[in-house]
Amino acid sequence: MGNKKYLKFITPETKIHLVIIGVLVFLFIFYQPIIALLGAIVLIYLIYYHWKNIHIKKEEWVKYIEGLGEEFESATKHAIFNMPIPLSMIDLDGSINWYNTKFLDMMEDRNILDENLEDLVPGFRAENLLKEKKEPIEIKFKDNYYKVYYNIVDTKKTVTSNEKIAMLYWIDDTNFSLLKERYNNERLIVCVAQVDNYEEVKKNTDEINRPIVLAEIDKRINGFVSDMEGIVRKYENDKYVIMFENKHLKELEKRKFDILDSIREIDLGNKIPITLSMGVGTNGKTPSQSYEYAKAGIDIALGRGGDQAVVKKIDRLEFYGGKTKAVEKRNKVRSRVISHALRQLIDQADSVFIMGHKNGDMDSFGASIGLLRGVKNRNKSGYIVLRGSNPSIANIYDRVKNEEPDILENIISPEEAANLVDKYCLLIVVDNHKPNFTEAPELLNKTDKVVVIDHHRRAAEFIEDPILTYLEPYASSTCELVTEILFYMGDKMELTKLEAEALLAGISVDTKNFTFQTGVRTFEAASILKREGADTTAVSQLFRDDYKTFILKAEVVKAAHITHDSIAISKFPVDMEDSILIAAQAANELSTINEVEASIVLALSGDKVHISARSLGHISAQLILEKLGGGGHLTSAGTQLDNVTIDEGEKLLIKAIDEYLKEGEEK
């Protein structure tokens, strides 16, 4: 081993010379022993001399390396301490172990050793250093922005008592951050605004006051835009395009788009309140794309009943306003156009499938029966997709079974429908526009010919790309809309008595016997059905309860308590087949009590908690339950909660009510 180490220091040339001398000495042993002896002595000397020389050079080299290391270490220390970026070393609990001069300058020469970095730098959290993704931490400290890069060092083998420390590298990112902030602030926001009831306001305002009222609308909208240093262009009597910088959007959101309140407060001789809807498009890659977002937003705002602003931020929506009743627009032209378009779609389809929402009610089932008649009148095969009867439709379902069994033959399960539906079929969704809430969501992907007919205020979730949409939130019910469609679809409606009563029953349920959400068109639809043979007495019998249900409903009403001065809340903690129906009916009963502005009932339904809400109009049942993933109308809404107890559901409900009322107070 020692020879090997020695040989490493012998150059190749020296090795050759020594080998040649050694060979010659060996040869001389046989011919000239004396000369060979002298040669051996010389060879030994040369080897010794060379070894000694190599040993000296090795020591010099070691000393050189050691000196170089010391110089390097000194230079490294000097470089680290005087590095032009701040450096710091901390324990994983945040306490500072070491820092360089730049970091000390950053901290304004304070004595910070052993202090906790979390206390010194707001927003810094040591726990973020242990995240799997080793991305830099963005920190704002005083007036500067930093990107903090870091690495974790294991110190178990060192003399320190800590097992792990973190080295932090503070990169000043202020210029880029300020530029980014400026870019975000100056991004263009496009807004489309529309006066919801412009024509109605004109008609219901005296001629002498009409110009003043209309001018005041323009004045307030122009003032609103001027405050934001934006621009506005009026392209129709009731429509505006508005542009402003993104920095004003947060303030608008903070003020809950108070321009809606300002327009509604106009009182210069107009007999009805004026309401405004707005669609705001943000984060578009181009102004054109932001404009498309704004148009989508205004469509949603109008679909939800108007008097609100919808901010579309690429993949999410935010809602402001929407606390007033939707304004009825007497425009039968749209109903006629929708009816003719639907007739053409039915004629072009191989077959037609009609489905409502999960746990169908009288409105969805009645609308389905009515549309099935419309399909049959066009000599097309049609089916109602229904998972089966439930307490809400049991009475009308039994009548169908007994009086018109041919309708029953056209009612199929979602599984059967899945085997029949193809791209040549037409799918009509009634009384619902949320894809996941339909009776059979899987059918939506089997055909691109989907029609939506609904009266609920539009939610953020909507069936993707329907070929035809008839969404009228002012309408009392889907049965009202379907009655109008059937009226314009052909020369004669040709409804049977049972079909007419099913449609009238749907209207009666959603209007609570013509007391809520009832407009002129509602009574017109009812009169049409009456002429088609609907018997109001027979319809009323569809809503009769048995003695047990009546008692249970009475117990729910009795157990109610008043919260927030005017909101009645009760619970039905029994999981039974009729629990949802009992909850809905109990909510209806509670809403008839004096000084109760809204009523909400929670009920167990399998592994879910169902919530039914009713309101007289001063409180929005829809906006409260939207906070819990539900929806509906101003006066009627519902939702379901998963994986919670009924008591936990009540706590979530109370929190949603608090948030709703707080938003109202902030306005």
Side-chain angles (χ1 to χ4, degrees):
M1 184 66 73
N3 292 336
K4 291 182 178 179
K5 290 182 179 179
Y6 166 71
L7 289 174
K8 288 195 294 184
F9 293 96
I10 302 179
T11 62
E13 294 84 0
T14 303
K15 287 181 182 179
I16 294 172
H17 294 160
L18 292 176
V19 168
I20 293 172
I21 294 172
V23 171
L24 291 174
V25 169
F26 179 79
L27 292 175
F28 274 112
I29 291 174
F30 297 99
Y31 301 104
Q32 298 290 334
I34 296 173
I35 296 174
L37 180 62
L38 293 174
I41 294 170
V42 172
L43 179 61
I44 293 171
Y45 173 76
L46 289 173
I47 292 173
Y48 172 76
Y49 175 81
H50 189 71
W51 175 85
K52 188 70 175 177
N53 191 44
I54 289 175
H55 185 72
I56 293 170
K57 287 185 177 181
K58 181 182 177 182
E59 288 181 347
E60 292 176 350
W61 178 252
V62 170
K63 289 180 180 179
Y64 172 75
I65 295 296
E66 290 176 348
L68 185 63
E70 290 175 359
E71 290 179 9
F72 182 79
E73 185 178 355
S74 177
T76 303
K77 289 180 180 179
H78 184 271
I80 291 175
F81 273 103
N82 296 280
M83 190 171 285
I85 63 171
L87 300 177
S88 60
M89 187 182 296
I90 65 170
D91 294 334
L92 294 187
D93 62 357
S95 58
I96 300 173
N97 289 332
W98 174 90
Y99 48 85
N100 69 349
T101 306
K102 274 291 183 180
F103 187 80
L104 189 62
D105 294 340
M106 183 176 122
M107 294 293 165
E108 299 181 344
D109 297 324
R110 291 179 54 188
N111 183 14
I112 57 174
L113 194 64
D114 293 330
E115 290 195 33
N116 197 298
L117 190 59
E118 295 183 357
D119 299 330
L120 299 173
V121 182
F124 178 83
R125 294 292 178 267
E127 60 189 27
N128 293 334
L129 302 176
L130 298 175
K131 291 183 177 180
E132 292 185 4
K133 293 185 177 180
K134 300 294 184 181
E135 296 187 357
I137 302 170
E138 296 183 359
I139 296 290
K140 183 181 181 182
F141 181 64
K142 298 181 178 178
D143 296 328
N144 292 335
Y145 296 85
Y146 296 92
K147 277 191 174 180
V148 183
Y149 294 84
Y150 61 93
N151 55 353
I152 307 296
V153 181
D154 192 344
T155 62
K156 286 188 290 186
K157 295 181 180 180
T158 69
V159 295
T160 178
S161 60
N162 301 305
E163 291 190 352
K164 290 184 177 180
I165 57 174
M167 179 65 86
L168 310 181
Y169 310 86
W170 300 72
I171 308 299
D172 194 330
D173 197 46
T174 303
N175 291 336
F176 178 78
S177 296
L178 291 176
L179 183 63
K180 181 180 177 182
E181 186 177 338
R182 180 180 175 184
Y183 169 76
N184 287 329
N185 286 337
E186 295 179 354
R187 268 189 304 120
L188 189 66
I189 300 296
V190 181
C191 171
V192 178
Q194 177 177 332
V195 180
D196 301 320
N197 51 350
Y198 185 85
E199 293 298 329
E200 289 78 9
V201 170
K202 281 180 62 178
K203 291 177 182 178
N204 291 277
T205 304
D206 295 336
E207 190 172 347
I208 190 171
N209 294 321
R210 193 177 300 160
I212 300 173
V213 172
L214 300 181
E216 185 64 20
I217 296 173
D218 289 343
K219 178 183 175 183
R220 297 198 180 193
I221 291 176
N222 283 315
F224 161 73
V225 177
S226 178
D227 291 341
M228 300 187 296
E229 301 176 329
I231 60 172
V232 56
R233 291 294 181 269
K234 185 176 181 179
Y235 64 95
E236 289 187 24
N237 288 332
D238 58 345
K239 295 181 176 69
Y240 307 80
V241 172
I242 301 168
M243 296 183 185
F244 54 89
E245 291 182 338
N246 187 54
K247 63 184 178 184
H248 299 288
L249 183 59
K250 284 186 178 180
E251 180 62 24
L252 281 179
E253 292 176 324
K254 185 178 179 181
R255 290 163 25 203
K256 309 294 182 183
F257 281 81
D258 52 2
I259 180 63
L260 303 176
D261 301 317
S262 177
I263 296 295
R264 198 184 312 109
E265 291 166 0
I266 294 175
D267 186 9
L268 297 172
N270 48 300
K271 297 178 182 179
I272 60 174
I274 306 167
T275 61
L276 184 73
S277 290
M278 304 176 75
V280 183
T282 70
N283 298 319
K285 294 181 179 179
T286 62
S288 176
Q289 191 175 52
S290 292
Y291 178 61
E292 293 300 320
Y293 289 164
K295 290 198 297 182
I298 192 70
D299 288 342
I300 294 172
L302 295 172
R304 289 169 57 85
D307 189 29
Q308 57 193 284
V310 176
V311 182
K312 182 170 175 54
K313 299 181 177 179
I314 305 180
D315 57 348
R316 70 188 171 93
L317 298 170
E318 294 179 359
F319 304 98
Y320 301 89
K323 296 189 176 184
T324 60
K325 184 178 179 181
V327 179
E328 181 177 357
K329 298 177 175 64
R330 272 193 59 81
N331 183 0
K332 295 183 178 180
V333 175
R334 177 167 166 77
S335 296
R336 188 180 294 110
V337 170
I338 292 290
S339 179
H340 291 174
L342 182 60
R343 183 177 66 189
Q344 291 179 2
L345 290 171
I346 292 173
D347 291 344
Q348 295 167 6
D350 287 354
S351 54
V352 181
F353 294 81
I354 308 158
M355 71 172 174
H357 51 76
K358 294 177 181 178
N359 297 313
D361 56 15
M362 200 73 78
D363 189 28
S364 67
F365 190 55
S368 299
I369 289 175
L371 284 173
L372 182 63
R373 169 49 55 192
V375 171
K376 289 182 176 181
N377 289 346
R378 304 305 302 172
N379 297 315
K380 290 287 183 175
S381 58
Y383 305 92
I384 296 173
V385 182
L386 186 68
R387 199 167 290 279
S389 182
N390 65 67
S392 298
I393 62 172
N395 291 340
I396 186 67
Y397 192 89
D398 291 340
R399 280 194 59 187
V400 169
K401 188 187 298 184
N402 296 326
E403 298 177 23
E404 297 196 23
D406 57 321
I407 295 178
L408 202 63
E409 294 175 1
N410 295 103
I411 299 177
I412 61 176
S413 68
E415 292 75 20
E416 292 175 299
N419 294 325
L420 297 174
V421 175
D422 56 35
K423 63 180 181 179
Y424 303 107
C425 297
L426 178 66
L427 177 63
I428 306 176
V429 179
V430 297
D431 200 34
N432 171 52
H433 58 260
K434 297 181 179 180
N436 294 326
F437 199 51
T438 58
E439 189 74 81
E442 64 274 10
L443 299 183
L444 297 171
N445 300 320
K446 289 183 172 292
T447 179
D448 56 359
K449 297 181 179 65
V450 180
V451 174
V452 177
I453 303 174
D454 192 16
H455 71 117
H456 295 102
R457 291 191 177 193
R458 178 163 176 165
E461 185 184 4
F462 198 87
I463 292 171
E464 188 175 354
D465 296 328
I467 194 171
L468 181 66
T469 301
Y470 191 26
L471 189 71
E472 295 289 359
Y474 72 83
S476 69
S477 57
T478 308
C479 283
E480 176 187 324
L481 299 176
V482 170
T483 300
E484 290 183 344
I485 289 172
L486 294 174
F487 182 78
Y488 292 116
M489 188 172 284
D491 296 333
K492 293 183 179 180
M493 295 185 66
E494 299 181 1
L495 288 174
T496 66
K497 181 176 180 296
L498 176 60
E499 291 165 346
E501 288 173 356
L503 287 165
L504 185 58
I507 297 174
S508 299
V509 165
D510 277 21
T511 60
K512 303 177 189 62
N513 290 320
F514 299 89
T515 58
F516 288 97
Q517 197 74 14
T518 305
V520 175
R521 300 269 286 273
T522 311
F523 289 106
E524 289 181 351
S527 66
I528 291 171
L529 297 171
K530 182 69 175 174
R531 288 196 299 270
E532 292 297 316
D535 184 353
T536 53
T537 303
V539 170
S540 66
Q541 290 177 348
L542 294 172
F543 308 124
R544 297 179 67 183
D545 297 321
D546 58 31
Y547 179 76
K548 181 182 177 183
T549 301
F550 184 85
I551 293 297
L552 290 172
K553 183 171 64 177
E555 290 177 354
V556 175
V557 173
K558 182 181 178 181
H561 66 275
I562 304 297
T563 183
H564 299 84
D565 297 327
S566 60
I567 301 176
I569 296 178
S570 188
K571 294 181 291 188
F572 183 60
V574 182
D575 183 12
M576 57 183 294
E577 188 180 12
D578 295 348
S579 58
I580 295 177
L581 178 63
I582 292 170
Q585 292 182 350
N588 290 337
E589 292 295 329
L590 286 168
S591 66
T592 64
I593 299 174
N594 282 336
E595 300 179 358
V596 171
E597 294 292 338
S599 57
I600 308 175
V601 179
L602 300 92
L604 286 177
S605 178
D607 57 349
K608 304 178 186 295
V609 174
H610 182 87
I611 303 178
S612 294
R614 302 291 183 267
S615 168
L616 298 182
H618 299 295
I619 294 173
S620 176
Q622 177 199 14
L623 293 182
I624 292 174
L625 293 197
E626 275 189 342
K627 297 181 182 297
L628 300 175
H633 297 287
L634 179 74
T635 58
S636 180
T639 190
Q640 287 186 343
L641 304 178
D642 297 326
N643 302 317
V644 296
T645 65
I646 196 166
D647 292 331
E648 291 170 342
E650 184 178 15
K651 290 179 181 178
L652 292 173
L653 174 63
I654 296 293
K655 183 180 177 183
I657 295 172
D658 289 338
E659 291 176 358
Y660 167 81
L661 295 176
K662 184 178 179 182
E663 290 171 357
E665 291 172 358
E666 290 174 350
K667 285 191 145 190

